[in-house]
Amino acid sequence: MTLHLRIITGCVVIFYFLIIFYFVKKKTLELKYTLLWLAAGTAMGILVLFPRILTYFVKIVGIQTPMNGLFISILFFVIIILMSLTSIVSKQTEKIRKLTQQIAMYEWRIRKLEEECQAYSSCREDYKNEDNAECVR
C-alpha cells in the first residue's frame, strides 16, 4: 500500500470515528450499540497502520490476493453488524408486542371502570329522591 493511499484511508478512518462520536453525542446512536461500530473502526485503523497484517492473514487462510482478503474481512464485519442489528430489532419487536398487550389490557380496564362509574352515577340519580335506597357497585 502506498503512502498516499495509507494517508487517504487513515483520514477516512478518522472521519468514520468522528461520525460515530457525533451520533453518540447527539444521542442518535446509543452508547451500548456503538461497541461493534468502534470495533470495526479499530480493525480498519489497524489494517491502515499495519497493512502487512492483511498480507499475513491472506497467506494463512490461503486467499490468492490481499484485495480478496480485504473483501472477505469487510464481508465478515458487515455480517456481524447485520446479526447484531437483527438481534436488536428482535428484542425491540418483543418489547413492542408486550407493551401493546399491556395497553390493550389497560384500555379494557378503563372501559370497564367507566361503565361501572356510569352505572353507579345513573343509579344514584334514579334513587336521589328515595331516602332508603342505596346503590351497590
Side-chain angles (χ1 to χ4, degrees), residues 51-70 72:
R52 291 185 187 249
I53 293 175
L54 182 61
T55 307
Y56 292 134
F57 169 73
V58 167
K59 285 182 183 177
I60 291 172
V61 177
I63 300 172
Q64 295 293 325
T65 62
M67 278 312 220
N68 290 343
L70 182 63
I72 287 174

Side-chain angles (χ1 to χ4, degrees), residues 46-94:
I46 290 172
L47 288 176
V48 167
L49 292 175
F50 308 107
R52 291 185 187 249
I53 293 175
L54 182 61
T55 307
Y56 292 134
F57 169 73
V58 167
K59 285 182 183 177
I60 291 172
V61 177
I63 300 172
Q64 295 293 325
T65 62
M67 278 312 220
N68 290 343
L70 182 63
F71 287 132
I72 287 174
S73 61
I74 289 171
L75 183 63
F76 172 74
F77 275 111
V78 167
I79 288 172
I80 294 297
I81 289 171
L82 284 174
M83 288 173 56
S84 172
L85 292 175
T86 302
S87 170
I88 292 166
V89 167
S90 296
K91 288 177 187 175
Q92 295 298 324
T93 302
E94 183 65 23

Side-chain angles (χ1 to χ4, degrees), residues 100-133:
T100 304
Q101 289 175 348
Q102 282 182 345
I103 288 172
M105 289 173 59
Y106 289 145
E107 287 177 350
W108 175 80
R109 191 170 174 200
I110 288 171
R111 269 183 267 148
K112 186 176 176 183
L113 288 173
E114 285 175 344
E115 289 172 1
E116 287 179 10
C117 184
Q118 210 170 28
Y120 183 72
S121 299
S122 65
C123 177
R124 286 189 64 195
E125 287 179 13
D126 290 343
Y127 295 107
K128 200 175 201 180
N129 296 330
E130 296 180 20
D131 293 332
N132 296 335

Side-chain angles (χ1 to χ4, degrees), residues 9-42:
T9 53
C11 290
V12 168
V13 170
I14 290 170
F15 183 69
Y16 174 82
F17 279 113
L18 290 175
I19 289 173
I20 290 173
F21 292 133
Y22 175 77
F23 283 153
V24 170
K25 182 180 176 186
K26 292 293 182 180
K27 300 188 190 257
T28 307
L29 185 63
E30 287 188 36
L31 188 61
K32 62 183 177 181
Y33 301 131
T34 60
L35 293 177
L36 195 57
W37 294 104
L38 291 174
T42 303

